[in-house]
PDB file of all heavy atoms in Angstrom:
ATOM      1  N   PHE A  62     -86.386 -52.851 -66.658  1.00 89.00           N
ATOM      2  CA  PHE A  62     -87.005 -53.281 -67.916  1.00 89.00           C
ATOM      3  C   PHE A  62     -87.107 -52.109 -68.903  1.00 89.00           C
ATOM      4  O   PHE A  62     -86.774 -52.239 -70.087  1.00 89.00           O
ATOM      5  CB  PHE A  62     -88.391 -53.862 -67.631  1.00 89.00           C
ATOM      6  CG  PHE A  62     -89.148 -54.225 -68.879  1.00 89.00           C
ATOM      7  CD1 PHE A  62     -88.832 -55.358 -69.605  1.00 89.00           C
ATOM      8  CD2 PHE A  62     -90.173 -53.412 -69.343  1.00 89.00           C
ATOM      9  CE1 PHE A  62     -89.517 -55.699 -70.755  1.00 89.00           C
ATOM     10  CE2 PHE A  62     -90.861 -53.738 -70.506  1.00 89.00           C
ATOM     11  CZ  PHE A  62     -90.541 -54.885 -71.213  1.00 89.00           C
ATOM     12  N   LEU A  63     -87.536 -50.930 -68.423  1.00 89.00           N
ATOM     13  CA  LEU A  63     -87.653 -49.762 -69.297  1.00 89.00           C
ATOM     14  C   LEU A  63     -86.287 -49.293 -69.791  1.00 89.00           C
ATOM     15  O   LEU A  63     -86.156 -48.792 -70.916  1.00 89.00           O
ATOM     16  CB  LEU A  63     -88.356 -48.624 -68.548  1.00 89.00           C
ATOM     17  CG  LEU A  63     -89.850 -48.835 -68.267  1.00 89.00           C
ATOM     18  CD1 LEU A  63     -90.364 -47.741 -67.360  1.00 89.00           C
ATOM     19  CD2 LEU A  63     -90.626 -48.864 -69.576  1.00 89.00           C
ATOM     20  N   THR A  64     -85.285 -49.500 -68.978  1.00 88.00           N
ATOM     21  CA  THR A  64     -83.944 -49.035 -69.364  1.00 88.00           C
ATOM     22  C   THR A  64     -83.379 -49.860 -70.509  1.00 88.00           C
ATOM     23  O   THR A  64     -82.918 -49.317 -71.508  1.00 88.00           O
ATOM     24  CB  THR A  64     -82.984 -49.102 -68.160  1.00 88.00           C
ATOM     25  OG1 THR A  64     -83.476 -48.249 -67.129  1.00 88.00           O
ATOM     26  CG2 THR A  64     -81.594 -48.666 -68.556  1.00 88.00           C
ATOM     27  N   TYR A  65     -83.426 -51.180 -70.404  1.00 87.00           N
ATOM     28  CA  TYR A  65     -82.806 -51.961 -71.468  1.00 87.00           C
ATOM     29  C   TYR A  65     -83.665 -52.037 -72.719  1.00 87.00           C
ATOM     30  O   TYR A  65     -83.154 -52.249 -73.813  1.00 87.00           O
ATOM     31  CB  TYR A  65     -82.364 -53.343 -70.981  1.00 87.00           C
ATOM     32  CG  TYR A  65     -83.431 -54.359 -70.650  1.00 87.00           C
ATOM     33  CD1 TYR A  65     -84.245 -54.905 -71.649  1.00 87.00           C
ATOM     34  CD2 TYR A  65     -83.574 -54.854 -69.355  1.00 87.00           C
ATOM     35  CE1 TYR A  65     -85.179 -55.875 -71.359  1.00 87.00           C
ATOM     36  CE2 TYR A  65     -84.501 -55.816 -69.050  1.00 87.00           C
ATOM     37  CZ  TYR A  65     -85.305 -56.328 -70.055  1.00 87.00           C
ATOM     38  OH  TYR A  65     -86.234 -57.299 -69.766  1.00 87.00           O
ATOM     39  N   THR A  66     -84.970 -51.883 -72.567  1.00 86.00           N
ATOM     40  CA  THR A  66     -85.786 -51.820 -73.789  1.00 86.00           C
ATOM     41  C   THR A  66     -85.621 -50.479 -74.498  1.00 86.00           C
ATOM     42  O   THR A  66     -85.749 -50.406 -75.730  1.00 86.00           O
ATOM     43  CB  THR A  66     -87.261 -52.039 -73.442  1.00 86.00           C
ATOM     44  OG1 THR A  66     -87.653 -51.121 -72.404  1.00 86.00           O
ATOM     45  CG2 THR A  66     -87.526 -53.464 -73.001  1.00 86.00           C
ATOM     46  N   ALA A  67     -85.302 -49.405 -73.753  1.00 83.00           N
ATOM     47  CA  ALA A  67     -85.082 -48.094 -74.387  1.00 83.00           C
ATOM     48  C   ALA A  67     -83.848 -48.116 -75.277  1.00 83.00           C
ATOM     49  O   ALA A  67     -83.751 -47.364 -76.246  1.00 83.00           O
ATOM     50  CB  ALA A  67     -84.951 -47.000 -73.333  1.00 83.00           C
ATOM     51  N   THR A  68     -82.894 -48.996 -74.950  1.00 81.00           N
ATOM     52  CA  THR A  68     -81.679 -49.114 -75.769  1.00 81.00           C
ATOM     53  C   THR A  68     -81.814 -50.201 -76.832  1.00 81.00           C
ATOM     54  O   THR A  68     -80.812 -50.574 -77.452  1.00 81.00           O
ATOM     55  CB  THR A  68     -80.483 -49.435 -74.857  1.00 81.00           C
ATOM     56  OG1 THR A  68     -80.722 -50.679 -74.180  1.00 81.00           O
ATOM     57  CG2 THR A  68     -80.259 -48.338 -73.841  1.00 81.00           C
ATOM     58  N   THR A  69     -83.031 -50.736 -77.011  1.00 77.00           N
ATOM     59  CA  THR A  69     -83.334 -51.796 -77.999  1.00 77.00           C
ATOM     60  C   THR A  69     -82.506 -53.047 -77.763  1.00 77.00           C
ATOM     61  O   THR A  69     -82.185 -53.774 -78.707  1.00 77.00           O
ATOM     62  CB  THR A  69     -83.122 -51.303 -79.441  1.00 77.00           C
ATOM     63  OG1 THR A  69     -81.741 -51.071 -79.667  1.00 77.00           O
ATOM     64  CG2 THR A  69     -83.890 -50.026 -79.718  1.00 77.00           C
ATOM     65  N   THR A  70     -82.133 -53.283 -76.510  1.00 79.00           N
ATOM     66  CA  THR A  70     -81.353 -54.477 -76.202  1.00 79.00           C
ATOM     67  C   THR A  70     -82.251 -55.709 -76.116  1.00 79.00           C
ATOM     68  O   THR A  70     -82.034 -56.710 -76.781  1.00 79.00           O
ATOM     69  CB  THR A  70     -80.573 -54.286 -74.886  1.00 79.00           C
ATOM     70  OG1 THR A  70     -79.769 -53.123 -75.010  1.00 79.00           O
ATOM     71  CG2 THR A  70     -79.696 -55.500 -74.610  1.00 79.00           C
ATOM     72  N   GLY A  71     -83.274 -55.634 -75.258  1.00 78.00           N
ATOM     73  CA  GLY A  71     -84.251 -56.716 -75.168  1.00 78.00           C
ATOM     74  C   GLY A  71     -83.740 -57.969 -74.502  1.00 78.00           C
ATOM     75  O   GLY A  71     -83.488 -58.977 -75.159  1.00 78.00           O
ATOM     76  N   PHE A  72     -83.570 -57.940 -73.176  1.00 80.00           N
ATOM     77  CA  PHE A  72     -83.094 -59.120 -72.444  1.00 80.00           C
ATOM     78  C   PHE A  72     -84.212 -60.137 -72.178  1.00 80.00           C
ATOM     79  O   PHE A  72     -83.949 -61.238 -71.761  1.00 80.00           O
ATOM     80  CB  PHE A  72     -82.483 -58.699 -71.105  1.00 80.00           C
ATOM     81  CG  PHE A  72     -81.158 -58.015 -71.268  1.00 80.00           C
ATOM     82  CD1 PHE A  72     -80.822 -56.927 -70.498  1.00 80.00           C
ATOM     83  CD2 PHE A  72     -80.231 -58.493 -72.193  1.00 80.00           C
ATOM     84  CE1 PHE A  72     -79.595 -56.313 -70.646  1.00 80.00           C
ATOM     85  CE2 PHE A  72     -79.005 -57.877 -72.339  1.00 80.00           C
ATOM     86  CZ  PHE A  72     -78.684 -56.787 -71.572  1.00 80.00           C
ATOM     87  N   LEU A  91     -93.595 -48.642 -74.165  1.00 90.00           N
ATOM     88  CA  LEU A  91     -92.469 -48.595 -75.090  1.00 90.00           C
ATOM     89  C   LEU A  91     -92.681 -47.544 -76.168  1.00 90.00           C
ATOM     90  O   LEU A  91     -91.760 -46.778 -76.506  1.00 90.00           O
ATOM     91  CB  LEU A  91     -92.254 -49.971 -75.717  1.00 90.00           C
ATOM     92  CG  LEU A  91     -91.716 -51.044 -74.763  1.00 90.00           C
ATOM     93  CD1 LEU A  91     -91.613 -52.382 -75.492  1.00 90.00           C
ATOM     94  CD2 LEU A  91     -90.361 -50.652 -74.216  1.00 90.00           C
ATOM     95  N   VAL A  95     -90.382 -44.201 -76.661  1.00 91.00           N
ATOM     96  CA  VAL A  95     -89.711 -43.901 -77.920  1.00 91.00           C
ATOM     97  C   VAL A  95     -90.041 -42.487 -78.382  1.00 91.00           C
ATOM     98  O   VAL A  95     -89.160 -41.718 -78.809  1.00 91.00           O
ATOM     99  CB  VAL A  95     -90.109 -44.932 -79.003  1.00 91.00           C
ATOM    100  CG1 VAL A  95     -89.661 -44.466 -80.383  1.00 91.00           C
ATOM    101  CG2 VAL A  95     -89.505 -46.288 -78.685  1.00 91.00           C
TER     102      VAL A  95
END
Side-chain angles (χ1 to χ4, degrees):
F62 175 75
L63 290 172
T64 299
Y65 70 68
T66 53
T68 60
T69 68
T70 304
F72 288 140
L91 290 177
V95 168

